Amino acid sequence: MELRQLECFVAVAEESSFTRAAARLHVVQSAVSATIATLEGELHTRLLERTSRRVSLSAAGRALLPKARAALDAVRDARDAVDEVNGVVRGTLRVGTLSSLGVLDLPALLGRFHREHPAVSVRLVTAASDGGSPGLLDALAEGRLDLAFVSIPGSPPPGAQWRNLTATPLDLVVPAGHRLAGRSRVALGELADEAFIDFPSGYGNRAVTDRAFTRAGLRRHVTIEITAIGAGADFVRHGMGIALLPRGSTGHDTDLVSLPVTGADLNWPISLATPSSRAPSAAARAFERLVEQHLR
């Protein structure tokens, strides 16, 4: 087996598509197909099941995938060792992120990282395209990401470890004419009968809110699901419901009122997750150091 064959196989397995794998590898699709066919011929087995709609792994392909990733990781580590002697960081950094990171300025972080390490190519995957924080953690454990910004209350699941970076309180946001708008604070129990605008299940702030209501023994009715904080504020402004949004996210909007909520833990955590089963690349280590500097 050649490294290029393993790279093609892993790309097709992760993308579930020869077309997307070819785009990712910057080659024509026919080259990917030919490389996979050669690899299957050398191994005397079919690695991929092809249909008109998608590509999936065969039993042999599922057995090969973790070994192929481990082989590519070993080659990456060898290159990193040589580059480190020469004072260079290169390669590809695959970062998963949420749609909002609170006080963390991801574009500024990535811009600084690019200036300090121009030989590193950065690939960014958003939670919206990968199933929220749980999807990002799955991608991390499977080797599709090097690190990820996630928001999940509690402890890390198997296969991941994380460092807590920030925690932002979620405030109640209501329209200026709402029955609670004149209050200085509100208790969680007063919100049981309200229509809520919230993120889909799997998003960190939704998990924080659901946990708070469950612990209080309260039911909650979510009428509209959104994937951006700004959209939540817009729906609240037009009377479609109320929302629990990160403190300060509505700015000085006179159409909206933000209130702290008492009687519940509504802190929205942001963590930087890394895989616990494999060593990080030199690029991933450099990015972690940059995040630490940013927080200081």
Side-chain angles (χ1 to χ4, degrees):
M1 288 181 284
E2 298 177 359
L3 289 176
R4 191 62 178 170
Q5 292 174 327
L6 297 181
E7 287 174 345
C8 282
F9 168 69
V10 170
V12 174
E14 291 179 352
E15 301 291 343
S16 298
S17 163
F18 281 88
T19 302
R20 291 193 295 272
R24 168 171 153 180
L25 297 170
H26 306 292
V27 298
V28 297
Q29 182 177 333
S30 58
V32 175
S33 298
T35 300
I36 296 297
T38 300
L39 179 60
E40 290 179 325
E42 291 178 0
L43 293 176
H44 307 291
T45 188
R46 182 176 290 277
L47 300 172
L48 299 166
E49 303 293 349
R50 303 152 176 86
T51 68
S52 58
R53 294 190 175 185
R54 66 189 305 270
V55 178
S56 60
L57 290 169
S58 67
R62 289 193 295 272
L64 176 61
L65 184 58
K67 304 297 184 183
R69 284 174 173 151
L72 295 175
D73 283 347
V75 173
R76 179 208 66 196
D77 292 344
R79 288 172 176 160
D80 284 350
V82 174
D83 288 338
E84 191 171 2
V85 171
N86 295 323
V88 177
V89 178
R90 67 178 79 243
T92 299
L93 180 67
R94 302 161 299 175
V95 182
T97 184
L98 307 169
S99 58
S100 174
L101 296 178
V103 298
L104 290 172
D105 187 345
L106 184 58
L109 271 171
L110 293 178
R112 180 178 172 187
F113 183 80
H114 176 68
R115 290 190 296 274
E116 294 184 5
H117 305 288
V120 177
S121 173
V122 177
R123 293 183 59 202
L124 201 60
V125 175
T126 64
S129 63
D130 213 20
S133 290
L136 293 179
L137 290 174
D138 288 342
L140 201 68
E142 293 168 5
R144 293 185 281 122
L145 291 175
D146 297 303
L147 40 78
F149 293 98
V150 298
S151 178
I152 295 182
S155 302
Q161 57 192 4
W162 62 49
R163 179 190 171 200
N164 293 324
L165 302 178
T166 67
T168 304
L170 298 180
D171 284 343
L172 178 69
V173 178
V174 299
H178 192 271
R179 64 181 179 87
L180 298 172
R183 302 273 293 276
S184 59
R185 62 183 56 84
V186 61
L188 189 71
E190 299 178 78
L191 309 178
D193 296 326
E194 295 282 348
F196 272 86
I197 296 151
D198 208 339
F199 283 69
S201 296
Y203 282 73
N205 39 5
R206 172 68 179 264
V208 168
T209 304
D210 285 347
R211 184 177 67 170
F213 273 80
T214 299
R215 286 180 172 177
L218 300 172
R219 297 186 64 182
R220 188 170 69 111
H221 184 44
V222 177
T223 57
I224 297 175
E225 292 187 338
I226 46 135
T227 57
I229 290 171
D234 288 339
F235 280 115
V236 173
R237 182 181 298 108
H238 291 286
M240 298 301 296
I242 64 174
L244 287 161
L245 299 177
R247 180 167 295 171
S249 60
T250 59
H252 301 287
D253 193 325
T254 58
D255 294 329
L256 300 173
V257 175
S258 296
L259 306 167
V261 179
T262 62
D265 177 7
L266 288 172
N267 282 315
W268 171 47
I270 301 292
S271 306
L272 182 61
T274 55
S276 58
S277 58
R278 67 181 192 277
S281 67
R285 294 196 301 272
F287 187 77
E288 285 188 82
R289 289 193 295 269
L290 188 63
V291 172
E292 291 175 1
Q293 294 169 12
H294 178 79
L295 290 173
R296 287 199 296 269

